[in-house]
Amino acid sequence: MEMTCMSLSEAMLNRKSIRGYKPDGVPQDILRQIIGLAIQSPSASNAQPWEVAVLTGEPLEELKRISVDLWDRGVPSNPDVAPPDLFGDYVRRRKEVGKQLFQLLGIERNDYGARKEWNRKALRFFDAPVGVIICTDASLERSRTDFDLGIMTDAFCLAAMCFGLGTCIDQQAISYPDAIRQVTGLDESKRITAAVTIGYPDWDFPANKLESSREPVDTVALWRGF
Ligand SMILES: Cc1cc2nc3c(=O)[nH]c(=O)nc-3n(C[C@H](O)[C@H](O)[C@H](O)COP(=O)(O)O)c2cc1C
């Protein structure tokens, strides 16, 4: 398939998390090209500490089954890389995007059944045809690897757009790293850092209409000497 890429600024402005997909599979050749683009990312000392496991078909189905079953049985999640505790403005932004998401999905605040079902969908890689596990050498310090893996992961999400594909970084999908190890054959020497869902967006899926907000540049940037 031809790579038909928009401008970089267009891709950066239009990228959004995709949480509903068409069932169509993604050709391996395209995934290889996307990974090839993503690993052009910079890394400290050019150490390139990233590795990816790409799952589709039965292995992905098996992982989804195991993860959902663990969650349904109330097994506590134990991700290799846990999300940080938030406070203040960070909590406000999380609440804002969560509210937007659940409004689009028509899920009421206290509809715990629907919320649980949505959590299952996140564990199921949002039913994407392909799930990507981003990992690194567990003996490298996180302070060294998280930054580099983050850069590469964003590049992956942008590169996917050149092929009409959508993505969502899905930390819920790495809640049970031992299930990922069981299915992929990755062992304890790898730190499972992130998961990314990828596939052709179903633009009719309500959550894909979400437009998350950003703070204005002048809230973020400190200017001196201009
Ligand atoms: C490290 C990381 C983990 C994320 N984990 C999840 C997740 O578990 N579930 C989810 O729905 N979205 C997840 N997201 C997507 C964010 O919610 C999303 O990027 C943010 O709300 C901004 O929206 P946008 O990507 O559409 O611009 C994650 C994003 C990042 C960077």
Side-chain angles (χ1 to χ4, degrees):
M1 193 203 250
E2 277 287 298
M3 202 195 308
T4 49
C5 205
M6 58 207 75
S7 72
L8 183 56
S9 57
E10 215 181 325
M12 292 172 90
L13 285 169
N14 288 323
R15 186 212 55 77
K16 54 154 65 184
S17 293
I18 296 299
R19 299 181 176 91
Y21 295 90
K22 293 181 180 159
D24 313 59
V26 184
Q28 191 179 5
D29 168 55
I30 290 182
L31 293 163
R32 185 173 278 117
Q33 289 186 64
I34 294 168
I35 296 165
L37 289 167
I39 63 175
Q40 301 309 310
S41 296
S43 58
S45 314
N46 200 25
Q48 305 167 62
W50 40 65
E51 293 173 45
V52 295
V54 189
L55 308 182
T56 193
E58 184 43 35
L60 181 60
E61 291 306 315
E62 188 188 357
L63 173 57
K64 294 190 311 195
R65 274 196 304 273
I66 300 172
S67 300
V68 170
D69 178 61
L70 288 166
W71 193 74
D72 280 345
R73 287 192 286 118
V75 176
S77 65
N78 64 334
D80 292 354
V81 174
D85 286 336
L86 297 181
F87 51 86
D89 279 346
Y90 311 114
V91 172
R92 174 179 57 74
R93 293 174 193 144
R94 180 181 63 195
K95 279 187 178 162
E96 184 186 296
V97 79
K99 195 173 162 191
Q100 279 177 284
L101 179 65
F102 285 120
Q103 256 167 14
L104 284 165
L105 292 164
I107 298 176
E108 299 285 337
R109 210 179 142 74
N110 52 2
D111 186 347
Y112 298 109
R115 280 173 177 254
K116 274 188 165 179
E117 194 46 46
W118 181 252
N119 202 66
R120 287 192 191 95
K121 190 172 170 79
L123 281 167
R124 291 198 315 265
F125 290 75
F126 297 114
D127 297 318
V130 178
V132 181
I133 307 297
I134 316 271
C135 58
T136 188
D137 192 319
S139 48
L140 289 169
E141 280 190 31
R142 270 190 65 184
S143 58
R144 230 195 133 74
T145 58
D146 285 5
F147 195 93
D148 294 345
L149 265 59
I151 295 174
M152 189 279 272
T153 303
D154 186 46
F156 179 93
C157 296
L158 292 170
M161 296 178 72
C162 291
F163 300 87
L165 290 157
T167 55
C168 184
I169 302 170
D170 179 8
Q171 223 60 358
Q172 283 158 285
I174 59 163
S175 298
Y176 300 108
D178 287 343
I180 295 173
R181 294 193 170 93
Q182 184 184 329
V183 172
T184 58
L186 291 168
D187 63 23
E188 296 282 345
S189 70
K190 306 296 176 197
R191 178 166 54 248
I192 293 164
T193 302
V196 183
T197 64
I198 179 166
Y200 298 98
D202 172 359
W203 291 114
D204 294 330
F205 189 75
N208 291 344
K209 308 222 180 322
L210 200 159
E211 298 287 345
S212 61
S213 68
R214 294 296 186 274
E215 299 294 330
V217 170
D218 285 322
T219 307
V220 173
L222 178 76
W223 307 98
R224 292 287 183 269
F226 284 90

